[in-house]
């Protein structure tokens, strides 16, 4: 953390404490495999706006139904309830009751108050805010209740993940459905502290489920191929951004975000390869292994280990896919 500002250190520590992760680095970036991946991404897929990526427009009602269909299909037998805390209402109640700068001795009482007053909603009932836009963005917001400071960090260690809203900004289409499922799985993964050991793995399950969802929602695999291409362009973009920051030796905090997308995409790609080419029993077994993570009985890293989903394997697959998509331009 030596290269971060004091404010950045607080934000990073808060992120780690909120999900109870221990690490935010990866040795993979020092390997020869990463060097070859970086070179490959520079040489292939030379346009960010690929003409093959055209998605069918959908009403928002279909997007929401698609999310429910995919979640229900893959979470058989487990609860999908998450903690929902309206960021305006419950936050103001907490501050009114305990003050704007609570003392450490109050933290346990505050957490009890939040847990007793936050709603328990099925993840697919989380409020969704949609905005029409040609730029596709999606995100999930958790209520933190208090602004980050050195004094409040022990509070984050106790605080659960209280979702307040999912935001979808796009030309409502097939990819919006996939993005919605991505955010639903963030809520499911983060509802239990310690579900991941490394912050850089935080997006791996959601990216994996994007591809699973594409497979579920379109038997022709046309949607899956478009989602794969989007992620290949995405990882190329983040590798370029990381390379620039590494070269100039600046913006180190932003680099964590880029590395999260890179590592998460590689692990998701490796796991999905096993899923896509596995038998129906293998697919059910992967679902079951993930569901154990979602109910707090194991960590996501256990799933990666069980199915030999590594950064190296993901890198080899990404390089192969990049070359194939580059060669098969229409």
């Amino acid at each position: 953390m030596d290269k971060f500002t004091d404010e950045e250190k607080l934000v990073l520590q808060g992120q780690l404490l909120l999900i109870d992760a221990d690490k935010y680095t990866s040795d993979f970036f020092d390997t020869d495999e990463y060097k070859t991946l970086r070179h490959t991404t520079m040489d292939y897929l030379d346009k960010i706006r690929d003409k093959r990526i055209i998605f069918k427009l959908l009403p928002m009602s279909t997007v929401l139904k698609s999310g429910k269909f995919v979640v229900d299909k893959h979470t058989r037998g487990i609860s999908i309830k998450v903690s929902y805390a309206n960021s305006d209402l419950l936050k103001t109640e907490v501050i009114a009751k305990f003050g704007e700068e609570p003392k450490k001795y109050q933290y346990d009482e505050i957490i009890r108050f939040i847990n007793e007053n936050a709603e328990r909603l099925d993840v697919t009932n989380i409020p969704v805010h949609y905005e029409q836009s040609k730029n596709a963005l999606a995100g999930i917001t958790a209520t933190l209740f208090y602004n980050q400071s050195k004094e409040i960090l022990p509070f984050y260690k106790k605080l659960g993940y209280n979702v307040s809203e999912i935001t979808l900004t796009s030309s409502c289409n097939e990819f919006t459905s996939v993005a919605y499922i991505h955010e639903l799985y963030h809520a499911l993964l983060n509802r239990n502290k310690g579900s991941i050991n490394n912050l850089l793995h935080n997006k791996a399950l959601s990216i994996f489920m994007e591809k699973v969802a594409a497979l579920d929602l379109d038997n022709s695999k046309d949607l899956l191929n478009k989602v794969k291409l989007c992620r290949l362009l995405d990882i190329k973009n983040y590798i370029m951004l990381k390379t620039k920051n590494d070269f100039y030796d600046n913006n180190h905090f932003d680099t964590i975000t880029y590395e999260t997308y890179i590592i998460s995409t590689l692990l998701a790609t490796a796991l999905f390869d096993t899923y896509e080419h596995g038998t129906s029993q293998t697919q059910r077994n992967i679902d079951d292994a993930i569901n154990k993570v979602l109910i707090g009985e194991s960590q996501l890293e256990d799933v990666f280990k069980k199915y030999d989903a590594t950064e190296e394997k993901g890198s080899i697959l990404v390089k192969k896919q990049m070359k194939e998509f580059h060669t098969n331009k229409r």
Side-chain angles (χ1 to χ4, degrees):
M1 289 191 184
D2 292 342
K3 295 184 178 181
F4 301 146
T5 66
D6 290 342
E7 183 178 352
E8 289 170 344
K9 289 177 183 178
L10 283 176
V11 172
L12 179 56
Q13 289 173 328
Q15 290 175 346
L16 291 167
L17 290 170
L18 187 62
I19 62 175
D20 196 22
D22 295 328
K23 298 172 58 179
Y24 61 93
T25 60
S26 173
D27 294 336
F28 176 71
F29 295 110
D30 298 322
T31 65
D32 290 338
E33 179 58 42
Y34 176 68
K35 293 177 183 177
T36 63
L37 173 64
R38 188 177 60 203
H39 293 154
T40 299
T41 59
M42 296 301 109
D43 292 338
Y44 294 91
L45 299 179
D46 48 2
K47 297 291 182 182
I48 189 67
R49 300 194 180 279
D50 194 297
K51 294 180 179 179
R52 289 169 289 184
I53 304 175
I54 300 175
F55 295 105
K56 182 173 71 175
L57 296 175
L58 299 173
M60 180 53 63
S61 59
T62 300
V63 170
L64 299 179
K65 288 177 183 176
S66 296
K68 181 172 175 53
F69 167 73
V70 173
V71 169
D72 287 347
K73 177 180 178 180
H74 295 282
T75 56
R76 297 176 301 273
I78 70 166
S79 170
I80 59 169
K81 290 192 179 297
V82 298
S83 181
Y84 166 70
N86 182 294
S87 58
D88 295 322
L89 297 181
L90 187 54
K91 181 176 180 178
T92 56
E93 288 183 29
V94 169
I95 292 175
K97 185 175 179 64
F98 298 100
E100 293 181 331
E101 297 180 1
K103 305 299 182 183
K104 287 185 179 181
Y105 73 84
Q106 295 177 292
Y107 289 170
D108 287 339
E109 186 180 357
I110 297 172
I111 296 299
R112 281 196 299 272
F113 181 83
I114 292 169
N115 292 341
E116 289 171 359
N117 288 276
E119 295 182 59
R120 297 285 295 170
L121 297 181
D122 282 356
V123 71
T124 48
N125 288 333
I126 295 171
V128 175
H129 175 71
Y130 171 73
E131 291 185 12
Q132 181 77 20
S133 174
K134 291 185 178 180
N135 297 318
L137 295 170
I140 189 165
T141 305
T143 303
L144 299 180
F145 297 96
Y146 289 100
N147 294 331
Q148 292 177 337
S149 67
K150 186 175 181 180
E151 291 72 27
I152 209 69
L153 286 178
F155 174 74
Y156 287 158
K157 186 174 180 63
K158 299 172 180 287
L159 180 65
Y161 195 81
N162 297 276
V163 181
S164 60
E165 184 180 67
I166 289 174
T167 302
L168 301 173
T169 303
S170 69
S171 300
C172 196
N173 56 36
E174 293 171 301
F175 192 77
T176 312
S177 295
V178 172
Y180 177 47
I181 291 155
H182 177 116
E183 302 306 333
L184 291 175
Y185 268 81
H186 269 309
L188 288 169
L189 179 67
N190 291 332
R191 66 182 176 173
N192 293 303
K193 283 183 175 290
S195 291
I196 58 172
N197 184 51
N198 192 325
L199 184 65
L200 300 187
H201 301 165
N202 193 34
K203 295 186 178 295
L205 177 58
S206 290
I207 294 172
F208 168 78
M209 287 305 303
E210 288 177 0
K211 297 175 181 180
V212 171
L215 202 56
D216 288 342
L217 299 174
D218 178 14
N219 292 331
S220 74
K221 292 195 175 183
D222 181 63
L223 178 57
L224 175 60
N225 286 331
K226 290 176 183 176
V227 170
K228 284 182 177 180
L229 179 54
C230 284
R231 278 298 164 195
L232 292 174
L233 291 167
D234 194 58
I235 195 172
K236 171 170 182 167
N237 177 53
Y238 285 116
I239 288 174
M240 289 193 298
L241 290 171
K242 170 178 164 54
T243 302
K244 178 183 176 182
N245 285 0
D246 291 345
F247 179 72
Y248 285 106
D249 194 26
N250 62 11
N251 298 324
H252 302 289
F253 186 73
D254 290 341
T255 298
I256 294 177
T257 298
Y258 308 151
E259 291 180 349
T260 299
Y261 277 100
I262 295 166
I263 295 297
S264 288
T265 300
L266 296 178
L267 293 171
T269 300
L271 183 61
F272 183 73
D273 185 67
T274 300
Y275 182 93
E276 182 183 11
H277 298 107
T279 64
S280 58
Q281 184 60 55
T282 297
Q283 293 179 351
R284 283 195 295 271
N285 290 342
I286 293 175
D287 279 348
D288 291 342
I290 289 171
N291 288 340
K292 286 184 67 176
V293 178
L294 300 184
I295 62 176
E297 290 185 358
S298 64
Q299 289 187 309
L300 187 58
E301 287 81 3
D302 297 328
V303 182
F304 298 148
K305 184 176 180 180
K306 181 175 181 179
Y307 291 98
D308 193 29
T310 64
E311 293 90 341
E312 290 76 12
K313 180 180 177 181
S315 177
I316 292 168
L317 289 165
V318 163
K319 290 186 295 183
K320 179 182 177 183
Q321 290 172 11
M322 279 193 164
K323 293 173 183 177
E324 289 174 346
F325 275 104
H326 185 88
T327 302
N328 297 327
K329 288 180 181 179
R330 293 203 298 265

